[in-house]
């Protein structure tokens, strides 16, 4: 068995998102060392929060995350991360769409809304980093 076949946590997620009358292929990645991180896509944003798309195999299970938005162009500065908490989640076909609210009001909302508006397909690659001890309350 190949080493890559033994992985239990995917480092990349493939999305085929319908947009207008076409399908847009997108990949989202996480660091190989950060096995708890969830590669995802930001598909909508407002002053109150963001909507995140994950695969059914990489769903969000906790309540509190650091949202790291990955810019299309590479920079030497680390990407910003903002605190978010899960508000709702629902399965839509082979994906799960989740709504997150920002934990602190401020420039984060404006920056994500601007990045999303300027993105090529109105989607942003992102990574959700679960916070230690922040599990769901089921």
């Amino acid at each position: 068995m190949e080493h890559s076949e033994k992985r239990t946590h995917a480092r990349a997620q493939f999305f085929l998102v319908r947009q207008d009358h076409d399908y847009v292929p997108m990949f989202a990645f996480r660091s190989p060392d950060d096995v708890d991180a969830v590669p995802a896509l930001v598909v909508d944003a407002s002053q109150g929060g963001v909507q995140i798309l994950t695969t059914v195999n990489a769903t969000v299970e906790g309540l509190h995350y650091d949202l790291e938005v990955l810019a299309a162009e590479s920079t030497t500065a680390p990407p910003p991360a903002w605190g978010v908490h899960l508000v709702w989640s629902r399965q839509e076909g082979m994906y799960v769409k989740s709504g997150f609210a920002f934990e602190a009001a401020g420039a984060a909302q404006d920056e994500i809304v601007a990045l999303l508006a300027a993105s090529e397909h109105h989607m942003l690659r992102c990574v959700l980093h679960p916070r230690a001890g922040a599990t769901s309350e089921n």
Side-chain angles (χ1 to χ4, degrees), residues 5 20-21 24 29 32 47-48 56 68-70 72-75 88-90 92-93 99 102 107 111 119 128 134:
E5 294 174 22
D20 298 322
H21 301 290
V24 177
F29 303 90
Q47 291 300 315
V56 292
E68 178 183 1
V69 174
L70 307 174
E73 65 280 342
S74 68
T75 63
W88 57 267
S89 188
R90 69 174 175 257
E92 294 185 354
F102 293 108
E111 189 170 343
S119 65
L128 289 167

Side-chain angles (χ1 to χ4, degrees), residues 26-135:
M26 297 279 292
F27 281 93
F29 303 90
R30 67 158 177 82
S31 168
D33 301 329
D34 196 357
V35 296
D36 293 328
V38 179
L41 296 176
V42 174
V43 293
D44 197 8
S46 68
Q47 291 300 315
V50 292
Q51 289 184 14
I52 306 283
L53 199 65
T54 59
T55 65
V56 292
N57 298 330
T59 57
V60 292
E61 296 175 357
L63 295 176
H64 300 277
Y65 291 85
D66 287 321
L67 171 65
E68 178 183 1
V69 174
L70 307 174
E73 65 280 342
S74 68
T75 63
T76 57
W82 298 286
V84 294
H85 64 272
L86 182 64
V87 177
W88 57 267
S89 188
R90 69 174 175 257
Q91 186 167 344
E92 294 185 354
M94 59 189 190
Y95 302 116
V96 175
K97 187 181 279 186
S98 302
F100 289 85
F102 293 108
E103 292 181 347
Q109 297 95 320
D110 295 335
E111 189 170 343
I112 290 177
V113 169
L115 286 170
L116 192 60
S119 65
E120 182 179 356
H121 297 290
H122 200 67
M123 290 181 273
L124 295 171
R125 290 173 179 87
C126 68
V127 179
L128 289 167
H129 300 277
R131 292 199 183 147
T135 59

